Amino acid sequence: MANVLVVAELLEGKARKTTQSAITAAKQIAEGTGGSFDVLSIGDGAGAAAEELTGYGAGKVLKAEIPGGYTCEKYAATVAAAGKGYDVLVACASAFGKDLLPRVAAKLGAGVASDISAVHTEGGSLSYTRPMYAGNVFGTVAIKTDKQVVTVRQSEFGAAQESGGSSPVEEIAIQTDPAADKVEFLGVEVVKSERPDLSEADIVVAGGRALKSAENFTSIIEPLVDALGAAMGASRAACDAGYVAPELQVGQTGKVVAPKLYVAIGISGAIQHLAGMKGSKTIVAINKDKEAPIAQVADYFLVADLFEAVPALTEAVKKL
Amino acid sequence: MKILVPIKRVADPDNASKLKVSADGKSVTSEGLEWKMNPFDDWSLEAALRLTENAAEKNARVGEVVLISIGPNDEHTQRIIREGLAKGAERGILVDGQDVGLDSDIVASVLKAVVDKESPDLVVMGKQAADGDSNVAGTKLAEKLGWPIINYAMKIKTNDDGKTLEVQRELDTGVATVKVTGPAVLTTSDRILQPGSVKNGVTPDDHQYAKLEVGGRYASLKGIMQAKKKPIDQMSLGDLGVDTTKALSYTKFELPPARSGETTFVEDVAELVDKLHNTAKVI
Ligand SMILES: Cc1cc2nc3c(=O)[nH]c(=O)nc-3n(C[C@H](O)[C@H](O)[C@H](O)COP(=O)(O)OP(=O)(O)OC[C@H]3O[C@@H](n4cnc5c(N)ncnc54)[C@H](O)[C@@H]3O)c2cc1C
């Protein structure tokens, strides 16, 4: 029997959707082992976010209000203290989860299975599948320590739906950590966009180095993105060159996405890029080189100059 | 400033699709693939070198970079350490260990033991190894040391030889800026390779490094010659008195399922729209 604590991820006082993916994994662990799960809402605005999280069937929702910006050191001791009462701690493998949970695990003497893509509970014993080698090998791993810490790949665990009911909210004490005094949070630039979030969108349109400039992203890629109601993504080469912001990077070091439709425009399909999108249901490549490695995963390939094909595609989509 | 940079050897990540799994599914075999420096470590080494040099004076060294690799004590691991020495690091440490006997916990414990001996001002390391892709060891190391962890650094600035650093770190939703009092552990993001990413208070602030496309700098011929004479200390896990009980146990490895279906080459935009609308029904 495994009792699970989900660590919610807050952004500006609201739970990010990553939290719902973590809840889905927690439910699988709890149901598969006859245990239960609780949720911890921690951070600036944790109280209000806790109220948002009472409808998912958790035994209770813990809240720990910590004002100011996030640093790992400010949260880890409180999460670890709350985690003492549980067998498994779960968060999404977002930049937040991958930053915070290993520190919590070290405080609890727990092993970490990171970025898992599946939970196994056969015979009541827990193990996890996780992609390794940029998604070229899948390993099944068990955690041998008393407590287990896992982070889950958002694209592999659908968002939990509210199931009705109302979990009680309980406030917990904040723990301090001397390491927290060593890090001063100076600020954060949150990128605002009217478009769907890259990790959650049904359609992703991504551009690569071939776009050549930020202006071309605006004039060529964005109209197609908006005509399809899609999220915008990019290759590392496009992010590095400053054509778009780094958080739009798809791949081994960027976001892992698995939308219904992924359109790769002027992207060669390097192994590190494929690691972030090859789970997409339908993949389209628009590239002037028909030998580009993206062909290994593309369902549809249009061999063309993107500067002609993409505006034409945008017009055709608008007419649908 | 003294910086410890852990570097791991990994099976050539650009050819990871050629990896195989043994018939019993118990191990991953990388036969035929070259051993390479983990690219994420290479980025961190680049950051560490920039922090400890004067780029306006032909990269004159003004600090010390110590490399540490945990891996089999053979020609491959030694070659990878030499590669880092040729790029500019001053010396290396090789801790003999087999990959199958290591996990993030043991790596963090070994690194802690080395930090205790070496007392660096910073540890700058890869956020993940391109084989295990775990993203755990750096943060666990920081907690074991009681130091702060700054993950995914894209810009680093110091004016007091690394005692305090202003760091911009990449998040999923933007960029955060923090001020860190060392000693600290840092991991880096892709953007640390940008021309103006590191300001160390010695190299003029307006200096722009050459644009790097994929990884850190290349070694110069002189660097390669000098590296041959730089020392590599060799030690065992036992010498460091580290507990080698693994926290994780891998029971099975599998290759991803082959992709179903062929690639359809469409003639033009009209055919593409037709296929997406009427066949795949995704738009
Ligand atoms: C450790 C590590 C991690 C990495 N992580 C990532 C990651 O997370 N994500 C990622 O994307 N990359 C990552 N990379 C980089 C990756 O290896 C590639 O360098 C990068 O993906 C290339 O980007 P690209 O496809 O846009 O550019 P290129 O490889 O240069 O491809 C450009 C493509 O555009 C096509 N093209 C050119 N002009 C036109 C035109 N007019 N019309 C149509 N097509 C055209 C070309 O045929 C080519 O196929 C990583 C690399 C390393 C070493």
mmCIF file of all heavy atoms in Angstrom, chain A residues 73 99 103 110 114 130 133-134 138 140 144 182 184 186-187 189 240 249 253 255 296 299, chain B residues 40 131 133-134 140 147 149 151 172 175 177 179 181 191 194 247 249-250 252 254 259 264:
data_model
loop_
_atom_site.group_PDB
_atom_site.id
_atom_site.type_symbol
_atom_site.label_atom_id
_atom_site.label_comp_id
_atom_site.label_asym_id
_atom_site.label_seq_id
_atom_site.Cartn_x
_atom_site.Cartn_y
_atom_site.Cartn_z
ATOM 1 N N GLU A 73 15.614 26.096 -2.443
ATOM 2 C CA GLU A 73 16.021 26.031 -1.037
ATOM 3 C C GLU A 73 14.928 26.517 -0.087
ATOM 4 O O GLU A 73 14.865 26.104 1.060
ATOM 5 C CB GLU A 73 17.305 26.861 -0.831
ATOM 6 C CG GLU A 73 18.550 26.287 -1.486
ATOM 7 C CD GLU A 73 18.556 26.383 -3.009
ATOM 8 O OE1 GLU A 73 17.781 27.184 -3.575
ATOM 9 O OE2 GLU A 73 19.328 25.634 -3.635
ATOM 10 N N ASP A 99 13.810 20.564 -10.480
ATOM 11 C CA ASP A 99 14.663 21.386 -9.624
ATOM 12 C C ASP A 99 14.427 21.044 -8.151
ATOM 13 O O ASP A 99 15.353 20.874 -7.379
ATOM 14 C CB ASP A 99 14.333 22.863 -9.885
ATOM 15 C CG ASP A 99 15.256 23.831 -9.154
ATOM 16 O OD1 ASP A 99 16.484 23.657 -9.252
ATOM 17 O OD2 ASP A 99 14.752 24.765 -8.498
ATOM 18 N N ARG A 103 16.180 17.654 -4.404
ATOM 19 C CA ARG A 103 16.646 18.204 -3.122
ATOM 20 C C ARG A 103 15.806 17.622 -1.978
ATOM 21 O O ARG A 103 16.340 17.256 -0.932
ATOM 22 C CB ARG A 103 16.550 19.738 -3.140
ATOM 23 C CG ARG A 103 17.204 20.350 -1.940
ATOM 24 C CD ARG A 103 17.661 21.794 -2.130
ATOM 25 N NE ARG A 103 18.646 22.078 -1.117
ATOM 26 C CZ ARG A 103 19.870 22.530 -1.333
ATOM 27 N NH1 ARG A 103 20.268 22.808 -2.551
ATOM 28 N NH2 ARG A 103 20.697 22.724 -0.339
ATOM 29 N N ALA A 110 15.859 9.461 -0.170
ATOM 30 C CA ALA A 110 15.066 8.697 -1.139
ATOM 31 C C ALA A 110 15.726 8.696 -2.512
ATOM 32 O O ALA A 110 16.358 9.665 -2.912
ATOM 33 C CB ALA A 110 13.673 9.305 -1.260
ATOM 34 N N SER A 114 13.210 9.834 -12.406
ATOM 35 C CA SER A 114 12.761 11.098 -12.977
ATOM 36 C C SER A 114 12.181 10.911 -14.363
ATOM 37 O O SER A 114 12.547 9.990 -15.088
ATOM 38 C CB SER A 114 13.901 12.116 -12.998
ATOM 39 O OG SER A 114 15.027 11.578 -13.581
ATOM 40 N N ARG A 130 10.864 4.641 -17.703
ATOM 41 C CA ARG A 130 11.332 5.987 -18.011
ATOM 42 C C ARG A 130 12.175 5.995 -19.281
ATOM 43 O O ARG A 130 12.977 5.092 -19.532
ATOM 44 C CB ARG A 130 12.086 6.627 -16.836
ATOM 45 C CG ARG A 130 13.210 5.811 -16.213
ATOM 46 C CD ARG A 130 13.845 6.581 -15.061
ATOM 47 N NE ARG A 130 14.236 7.900 -15.481
ATOM 48 C CZ ARG A 130 15.427 8.215 -15.996
ATOM 49 N NH1 ARG A 130 16.369 7.310 -16.115
ATOM 50 N NH2 ARG A 130 15.692 9.442 -16.393
ATOM 51 N N TYR A 133 18.468 7.896 -22.804
ATOM 52 C CA TYR A 133 19.180 8.077 -24.076
ATOM 53 C C TYR A 133 18.306 8.864 -25.066
ATOM 54 O O TYR A 133 18.074 8.420 -26.190
ATOM 55 C CB TYR A 133 19.558 6.731 -24.681
ATOM 56 C CG TYR A 133 20.527 5.894 -23.859
ATOM 57 C CD1 TYR A 133 20.058 4.975 -22.923
ATOM 58 C CD2 TYR A 133 21.896 6.027 -24.038
ATOM 59 C CE1 TYR A 133 20.938 4.200 -22.180
ATOM 60 C CE2 TYR A 133 22.780 5.248 -23.297
ATOM 61 C CZ TYR A 133 22.293 4.340 -22.378
ATOM 62 O OH TYR A 133 23.165 3.565 -21.646
ATOM 63 N N ALA A 134 17.778 9.994 -24.636
ATOM 64 C CA ALA A 134 16.943 10.838 -25.496
ATOM 65 C C ALA A 134 15.797 10.043 -26.122
ATOM 66 O O ALA A 134 15.456 10.231 -27.283
ATOM 67 C CB ALA A 134 17.783 11.525 -26.572
ATOM 68 N N PHE A 138 13.979 2.524 -23.275
ATOM 69 C CA PHE A 138 13.083 2.682 -22.139
ATOM 70 C C PHE A 138 13.518 1.726 -21.040
ATOM 71 O O PHE A 138 13.687 0.540 -21.285
ATOM 72 C CB PHE A 138 11.634 2.407 -22.545
ATOM 73 C CG PHE A 138 11.042 3.552 -23.326
ATOM 74 C CD1 PHE A 138 11.321 3.715 -24.672
ATOM 75 C CD2 PHE A 138 10.259 4.502 -22.692
ATOM 76 C CE1 PHE A 138 10.817 4.791 -25.381
ATOM 77 C CE2 PHE A 138 9.752 5.589 -23.394
ATOM 78 C CZ PHE A 138 10.030 5.725 -24.737
ATOM 79 N N THR A 140 12.924 0.050 -17.138
ATOM 80 C CA THR A 140 11.974 -0.153 -16.046
ATOM 81 C C THR A 140 12.778 -0.154 -14.760
ATOM 82 O O THR A 140 13.762 -0.890 -14.643
ATOM 83 C CB THR A 140 11.233 -1.494 -16.209
ATOM 84 O OG1 THR A 140 10.596 -1.478 -17.471
ATOM 85 C CG2 THR A 140 10.189 -1.673 -15.118
ATOM 86 N N LYS A 144 14.666 1.522 -4.423
ATOM 87 C CA LYS A 144 14.921 0.610 -3.308
ATOM 88 C C LYS A 144 14.864 1.269 -1.928
ATOM 89 O O LYS A 144 14.927 0.581 -0.918
ATOM 90 C CB LYS A 144 16.317 -0.010 -3.477
ATOM 91 C CG LYS A 144 16.457 -0.855 -4.724
ATOM 92 C CD LYS A 144 15.338 -1.830 -4.739
ATOM 93 C CE LYS A 144 15.598 -3.141 -5.379
ATOM 94 N NZ LYS A 144 14.354 -3.926 -5.406
ATOM 95 N N LYS A 182 21.206 31.649 1.124
ATOM 96 C CA LYS A 182 22.268 31.850 0.133
ATOM 97 C C LYS A 182 21.724 32.242 -1.242
ATOM 98 O O LYS A 182 22.492 32.510 -2.150
ATOM 99 C CB LYS A 182 23.086 30.559 -0.046
ATOM 100 C CG LYS A 182 23.579 29.966 1.248
ATOM 101 C CD LYS A 182 24.801 30.688 1.723
ATOM 102 C CE LYS A 182 25.393 29.990 2.940
ATOM 103 N NZ LYS A 182 26.461 30.776 3.525
ATOM 104 N N GLU A 184 19.026 34.647 -3.229
ATOM 105 C CA GLU A 184 18.055 35.741 -3.187
ATOM 106 C C GLU A 184 17.340 35.789 -4.535
ATOM 107 O O GLU A 184 17.982 35.845 -5.588
ATOM 108 C CB GLU A 184 18.813 37.046 -2.938
ATOM 109 C CG GLU A 184 17.923 38.232 -2.680
ATOM 110 C CD GLU A 184 18.741 39.529 -2.613
ATOM 111 O OE1 GLU A 184 19.982 39.470 -2.403
ATOM 112 O OE2 GLU A 184 18.140 40.587 -2.812
ATOM 113 N N LEU A 186 15.603 37.534 -7.348
ATOM 114 C CA LEU A 186 15.576 38.928 -7.800
ATOM 115 C C LEU A 186 14.400 39.227 -8.718
ATOM 116 O O LEU A 186 13.979 40.378 -8.830
ATOM 117 C CB LEU A 186 16.884 39.283 -8.514
ATOM 118 C CG LEU A 186 18.165 39.209 -7.680
ATOM 119 C CD1 LEU A 186 19.371 39.595 -8.515
ATOM 120 C CD2 LEU A 186 18.081 40.108 -6.444
ATOM 121 N N GLY A 187 13.899 38.223 -9.395
ATOM 122 C CA GLY A 187 12.761 38.488 -10.266
ATOM 123 C C GLY A 187 12.569 37.396 -11.280
ATOM 124 O O GLY A 187 13.419 36.518 -11.436
ATOM 125 N N GLU A 189 10.813 36.819 -15.312
ATOM 126 C CA GLU A 189 10.107 37.329 -16.479
ATOM 127 C C GLU A 189 9.235 36.203 -16.970
ATOM 128 O O GLU A 189 9.719 35.219 -17.537
ATOM 129 C CB GLU A 189 11.120 37.654 -17.566
ATOM 130 C CG GLU A 189 11.261 39.122 -17.873
ATOM 131 C CD GLU A 189 12.339 39.332 -18.910
ATOM 132 O OE1 GLU A 189 12.059 39.066 -20.088
ATOM 133 O OE2 GLU A 189 13.449 39.724 -18.501
ATOM 134 N N ASP A 240 18.498 29.267 -30.024
ATOM 135 C CA ASP A 240 19.852 29.770 -29.798
ATOM 136 C C ASP A 240 20.103 31.042 -30.601
ATOM 137 O O ASP A 240 20.788 31.950 -30.136
ATOM 138 C CB ASP A 240 20.890 28.726 -30.229
ATOM 139 C CG ASP A 240 21.127 27.673 -29.157
ATOM 140 O OD1 ASP A 240 20.544 27.804 -28.062
ATOM 141 O OD2 ASP A 240 21.886 26.727 -29.415
ATOM 142 N N GLN A 249 11.592 25.859 -27.003
ATOM 143 C CA GLN A 249 12.409 24.761 -27.536
ATOM 144 C C GLN A 249 11.770 23.398 -27.275
ATOM 145 O O GLN A 249 11.378 23.083 -26.163
ATOM 146 C CB GLN A 249 13.803 24.803 -26.904
ATOM 147 C CG GLN A 249 14.725 23.702 -27.431
ATOM 148 C CD GLN A 249 16.159 23.919 -26.990
ATOM 149 O OE1 GLN A 249 16.642 25.047 -26.954
ATOM 150 N NE2 GLN A 249 16.829 22.839 -26.633
ATOM 151 N N THR A 253 16.424 18.733 -24.428
ATOM 152 C CA THR A 253 16.661 19.732 -23.392
ATOM 153 C C THR A 253 15.545 20.761 -23.343
ATOM 154 O O THR A 253 15.574 21.657 -22.524
ATOM 155 C CB THR A 253 17.985 20.476 -23.631
ATOM 156 O OG1 THR A 253 18.062 20.828 -24.995
ATOM 157 C CG2 THR A 253 19.135 19.636 -23.251
ATOM 158 N N LYS A 255 11.110 21.165 -24.259
ATOM 159 C CA LYS A 255 9.873 20.518 -23.822
ATOM 160 C C LYS A 255 9.631 19.240 -24.617
ATOM 161 O O LYS A 255 10.026 19.124 -25.779
ATOM 162 C CB LYS A 255 8.711 21.482 -24.024
ATOM 163 C CG LYS A 255 8.885 22.752 -23.181
ATOM 164 C CD LYS A 255 7.571 23.260 -22.651
ATOM 165 C CE LYS A 255 7.796 24.270 -21.540
ATOM 166 N NZ LYS A 255 8.201 25.607 -22.023
ATOM 167 N N GLN A 296 12.311 10.204 -40.872
ATOM 168 C CA GLN A 296 12.192 8.961 -40.086
ATOM 169 C C GLN A 296 10.924 8.920 -39.254
ATOM 170 O O GLN A 296 10.458 7.856 -38.874
ATOM 171 C CB GLN A 296 13.365 8.833 -39.106
ATOM 172 C CG GLN A 296 14.712 8.630 -39.744
ATOM 173 C CD GLN A 296 15.820 8.995 -38.764
ATOM 174 O OE1 GLN A 296 15.628 8.990 -37.549
ATOM 175 N NE2 GLN A 296 16.983 9.329 -39.297
ATOM 176 N N ASP A 299 4.799 11.517 -40.897
ATOM 177 C CA ASP A 299 3.730 10.811 -41.594
ATOM 178 C C ASP A 299 3.511 11.435 -42.966
ATOM 179 O O ASP A 299 3.258 10.733 -43.931
ATOM 180 C CB ASP A 299 2.435 10.887 -40.772
ATOM 181 C CG ASP A 299 2.609 10.233 -39.423
ATOM 182 O OD1 ASP A 299 2.719 8.997 -39.389
ATOM 183 O OD2 ASP A 299 2.677 10.960 -38.403
ATOM 184 N N PHE B 40 26.312 17.825 -22.133
ATOM 185 C CA PHE B 40 25.862 18.771 -21.104
ATOM 186 C C PHE B 40 27.024 19.179 -20.192
ATOM 187 O O PHE B 40 27.069 20.300 -19.684
ATOM 188 C CB PHE B 40 24.717 18.161 -20.284
ATOM 189 C CG PHE B 40 23.531 17.802 -21.131
ATOM 190 C CD1 PHE B 40 23.340 16.512 -21.596
ATOM 191 C CD2 PHE B 40 22.612 18.770 -21.504
ATOM 192 C CE1 PHE B 40 22.264 16.188 -22.399
ATOM 193 C CE2 PHE B 40 21.527 18.458 -22.311
ATOM 194 C CZ PHE B 40 21.347 17.163 -22.763
ATOM 195 N N ASP B 131 22.951 9.818 -21.322
ATOM 196 C CA ASP B 131 22.507 8.414 -21.324
ATOM 197 C C ASP B 131 21.325 8.219 -20.364
ATOM 198 O O ASP B 131 20.228 7.889 -20.778
ATOM 199 C CB ASP B 131 23.671 7.456 -21.025
ATOM 200 C CG ASP B 131 24.529 7.883 -19.836
ATOM 201 O OD1 ASP B 131 24.145 8.803 -19.091
ATOM 202 O OD2 ASP B 131 25.608 7.274 -19.642
ATOM 203 N N ASP B 133 19.745 10.545 -18.622
ATOM 204 C CA ASP B 133 18.787 11.659 -18.710
ATOM 205 C C ASP B 133 18.059 11.939 -17.387
ATOM 206 O O ASP B 133 16.892 12.348 -17.394
ATOM 207 C CB ASP B 133 17.733 11.391 -19.804
ATOM 208 C CG ASP B 133 18.233 11.754 -21.198
ATOM 209 O OD1 ASP B 133 19.197 12.546 -21.315
ATOM 210 O OD2 ASP B 133 17.654 11.254 -22.178
ATOM 211 N N SER B 134 18.733 11.755 -16.247
ATOM 212 C CA SER B 134 17.994 11.830 -14.979
ATOM 213 C C SER B 134 17.825 13.229 -14.410
ATOM 214 O O SER B 134 16.806 13.538 -13.815
ATOM 215 C CB SER B 134 18.676 10.971 -13.921
ATOM 216 O OG SER B 134 18.372 9.630 -14.121
ATOM 217 N N LYS B 140 21.120 16.795 -5.865
ATOM 218 C CA LYS B 140 21.397 15.965 -4.683
ATOM 219 C C LYS B 140 22.751 16.322 -4.072
ATOM 220 O O LYS B 140 22.903 16.363 -2.853
ATOM 221 C CB LYS B 140 21.367 14.482 -5.053
ATOM 222 C CG LYS B 140 19.951 13.932 -5.104
ATOM 223 C CD LYS B 140 19.926 12.444 -4.842
ATOM 224 C CE LYS B 140 18.519 12.026 -4.444
ATOM 225 N NZ LYS B 140 18.404 10.618 -4.120
ATOM 226 N N TRP B 147 24.732 23.292 0.186
ATOM 227 C CA TRP B 147 24.938 24.435 -0.707
ATOM 228 C C TRP B 147 23.664 24.690 -1.508
ATOM 229 O O TRP B 147 22.861 23.788 -1.707
ATOM 230 C CB TRP B 147 26.058 24.150 -1.710
ATOM 231 C CG TRP B 147 27.437 24.013 -1.143
ATOM 232 C CD1 TRP B 147 27.803 23.993 0.175
ATOM 233 C CD2 TRP B 147 28.640 23.844 -1.905
ATOM 234 N NE1 TRP B 147 29.166 23.836 0.277
ATOM 235 C CE2 TRP B 147 29.705 23.747 -0.987
ATOM 236 C CE3 TRP B 147 28.929 23.779 -3.268
ATOM 237 C CZ2 TRP B 147 31.031 23.579 -1.381
ATOM 238 C CZ3 TRP B 147 30.249 23.612 -3.667
ATOM 239 C CH2 TRP B 147 31.286 23.520 -2.738
ATOM 240 N N ILE B 149 21.576 25.125 -5.008
ATOM 241 C CA ILE B 149 21.644 24.617 -6.380
ATOM 242 C C ILE B 149 21.008 25.658 -7.292
ATOM 243 O O ILE B 149 19.935 26.180 -6.985
ATOM 244 C CB ILE B 149 20.902 23.268 -6.543
ATOM 245 C CG1 ILE B 149 20.850 22.829 -8.020
ATOM 246 C CG2 ILE B 149 19.465 23.320 -6.022
ATOM 247 C CD1 ILE B 149 22.157 22.328 -8.551
ATOM 248 N N ASN B 151 19.900 25.501 -10.988
ATOM 249 C CA ASN B 151 19.752 24.682 -12.191
ATOM 250 C C ASN B 151 19.468 25.539 -13.415
ATOM 251 O O ASN B 151 18.799 26.564 -13.329
ATOM 252 C CB ASN B 151 18.597 23.694 -12.003
ATOM 253 C CG ASN B 151 19.031 22.420 -11.283
ATOM 254 O OD1 ASN B 151 20.026 21.797 -11.653
ATOM 255 N ND2 ASN B 151 18.290 22.046 -10.253
ATOM 256 N N ASP B 172 10.263 26.768 -17.415
ATOM 257 C CA ASP B 172 9.312 26.407 -18.472
ATOM 258 C C ASP B 172 8.548 27.625 -18.945
ATOM 259 O O ASP B 172 8.015 27.646 -20.048
ATOM 260 C CB ASP B 172 8.264 25.426 -17.933
ATOM 261 C CG ASP B 172 8.848 24.062 -17.717
ATOM 262 O OD1 ASP B 172 9.956 23.821 -18.197
ATOM 263 O OD2 ASP B 172 8.177 23.237 -17.062
ATOM 264 N N VAL B 175 12.168 33.254 -17.542
ATOM 265 C CA VAL B 175 13.535 33.280 -17.013
ATOM 266 C C VAL B 175 13.518 33.919 -15.627
ATOM 267 O O VAL B 175 12.932 34.984 -15.444
ATOM 268 C CB VAL B 175 14.451 34.102 -17.946
ATOM 269 C CG1 VAL B 175 15.848 34.244 -17.359
ATOM 270 C CG2 VAL B 175 14.524 33.460 -19.339
ATOM 271 N N THR B 177 15.793 35.387 -12.273
ATOM 272 C CA THR B 177 17.111 35.897 -11.906
ATOM 273 C C THR B 177 17.290 35.736 -10.398
ATOM 274 O O THR B 177 16.404 36.106 -9.627
ATOM 275 C CB THR B 177 17.248 37.376 -12.287
ATOM 276 O OG1 THR B 177 16.913 37.518 -13.664
ATOM 277 C CG2 THR B 177 18.668 37.881 -12.074
ATOM 278 N N LYS B 179 20.326 35.875 -7.024
ATOM 279 C CA LYS B 179 21.666 36.211 -6.569
ATOM 280 C C LYS B 179 22.088 35.123 -5.584
ATOM 281 O O LYS B 179 21.387 34.853 -4.611
ATOM 282 C CB LYS B 179 21.650 37.577 -5.888
ATOM 283 C CG LYS B 179 23.024 38.077 -5.567
ATOM 284 C CD LYS B 179 22.974 39.479 -5.003
ATOM 285 C CE LYS B 179 24.325 39.791 -4.381
ATOM 286 N NZ LYS B 179 24.221 40.903 -3.445
ATOM 287 N N THR B 181 25.002 33.317 -3.070
ATOM 288 C CA THR B 181 26.247 33.431 -2.324
ATOM 289 C C THR B 181 26.903 32.057 -2.311
ATOM 290 O O THR B 181 26.286 31.090 -1.875
ATOM 291 C CB THR B 181 25.965 33.914 -0.892
ATOM 292 O OG1 THR B 181 25.227 35.130 -0.972
ATOM 293 C CG2 THR B 181 27.252 34.142 -0.119
ATOM 294 N N ARG B 191 21.729 27.799 -23.549
ATOM 295 C CA ARG B 191 22.053 29.212 -23.819
ATOM 296 C C ARG B 191 23.349 29.672 -23.149
ATOM 297 O O ARG B 191 23.819 30.780 -23.398
ATOM 298 C CB ARG B 191 20.886 30.100 -23.390
ATOM 299 C CG ARG B 191 20.002 30.584 -24.509
ATOM 300 C CD ARG B 191 19.468 29.520 -25.424
ATOM 301 N NE ARG B 191 18.515 28.646 -24.739
ATOM 302 C CZ ARG B 191 17.882 27.622 -25.313
ATOM 303 N NH1 ARG B 191 18.100 27.297 -26.560
ATOM 304 N NH2 ARG B 191 17.054 26.885 -24.615
ATOM 305 N N GLN B 194 26.059 31.030 -25.473
ATOM 306 C CA GLN B 194 25.904 32.291 -26.203
ATOM 307 C C GLN B 194 27.122 33.199 -25.972
ATOM 308 O O GLN B 194 27.765 33.132 -24.926
ATOM 309 C CB GLN B 194 24.639 33.011 -25.724
ATOM 310 C CG GLN B 194 23.366 32.235 -25.992
ATOM 311 C CD GLN B 194 22.793 32.476 -27.370
ATOM 312 O OE1 GLN B 194 22.918 33.549 -27.912
ATOM 313 N NE2 GLN B 194 22.179 31.452 -27.948
ATOM 314 N N ALA B 247 20.287 3.241 -5.005
ATOM 315 C CA ALA B 247 18.903 3.560 -4.650
ATOM 316 C C ALA B 247 17.940 3.048 -5.718
ATOM 317 O O ALA B 247 16.762 2.848 -5.458
ATOM 318 C CB ALA B 247 18.740 5.071 -4.480
ATOM 319 N N SER B 249 17.054 0.302 -8.996
ATOM 320 C CA SER B 249 17.386 -0.974 -9.601
ATOM 321 C C SER B 249 16.627 -1.107 -10.916
ATOM 322 O O SER B 249 15.392 -1.131 -10.937
ATOM 323 C CB SER B 249 17.017 -2.076 -8.607
ATOM 324 O OG SER B 249 16.755 -3.261 -9.271
ATOM 325 N N TYR B 250 17.381 -1.152 -12.004
ATOM 326 C CA TYR B 250 16.756 -1.324 -13.321
ATOM 327 C C TYR B 250 16.552 -2.808 -13.573
ATOM 328 O O TYR B 250 17.488 -3.597 -13.460
ATOM 329 C CB TYR B 250 17.630 -0.708 -14.420
ATOM 330 C CG TYR B 250 17.458 0.796 -14.510
ATOM 331 C CD1 TYR B 250 18.248 1.655 -13.750
ATOM 332 C CD2 TYR B 250 16.474 1.347 -15.317
ATOM 333 C CE1 TYR B 250 18.074 3.030 -13.805
ATOM 334 C CE2 TYR B 250 16.290 2.728 -15.390
ATOM 335 C CZ TYR B 250 17.092 3.558 -14.628
ATOM 336 O OH TYR B 250 16.907 4.920 -14.682
ATOM 337 N N LYS B 252 14.691 -3.957 -16.412
ATOM 338 C CA LYS B 252 14.460 -4.273 -17.829
ATOM 339 C C LYS B 252 14.729 -3.057 -18.700
ATOM 340 O O LYS B 252 14.431 -1.933 -18.305
ATOM 341 C CB LYS B 252 12.987 -4.690 -17.998
ATOM 342 C CG LYS B 252 12.670 -5.281 -19.354
ATOM 343 C CD LYS B 252 11.248 -5.857 -19.404
ATOM 344 C CE LYS B 252 10.200 -4.772 -19.367
ATOM 345 N NZ LYS B 252 8.833 -5.235 -19.450
ATOM 346 N N GLU B 254 14.193 -1.738 -22.861
ATOM 347 C CA GLU B 254 13.544 -2.040 -24.143
ATOM 348 C C GLU B 254 13.849 -0.928 -25.128
ATOM 349 O O GLU B 254 14.018 0.224 -24.728
ATOM 350 C CB GLU B 254 12.021 -2.068 -23.981
ATOM 351 C CG GLU B 254 11.493 -3.196 -23.150
ATOM 352 C CD GLU B 254 10.077 -2.879 -22.656
ATOM 353 O OE1 GLU B 254 9.934 -2.048 -21.744
ATOM 354 O OE2 GLU B 254 9.138 -3.448 -23.223
ATOM 355 N N ARG B 259 8.115 2.696 -35.475
ATOM 356 C CA ARG B 259 7.019 3.554 -35.871
ATOM 357 C C ARG B 259 6.140 2.808 -36.875
ATOM 358 O O ARG B 259 6.624 2.148 -37.782
ATOM 359 C CB ARG B 259 7.577 4.811 -36.527
ATOM 360 C CG ARG B 259 6.579 5.917 -36.685
ATOM 361 C CD ARG B 259 7.290 7.150 -37.161
ATOM 362 N NE ARG B 259 7.802 6.990 -38.509
ATOM 363 C CZ ARG B 259 7.130 7.361 -39.587
ATOM 364 N NH1 ARG B 259 5.954 7.904 -39.469
ATOM 365 N NH2 ARG B 259 7.657 7.200 -40.780
ATOM 366 N N THR B 264 4.367 9.510 -46.170
ATOM 367 C CA THR B 264 3.731 9.843 -47.440
ATOM 368 C C THR B 264 4.303 11.161 -47.931
ATOM 369 O O THR B 264 4.191 12.175 -47.236
ATOM 370 C CB THR B 264 2.204 10.000 -47.257
ATOM 371 O OG1 THR B 264 1.700 8.809 -46.667
ATOM 372 C CG2 THR B 264 1.512 10.257 -48.588
#
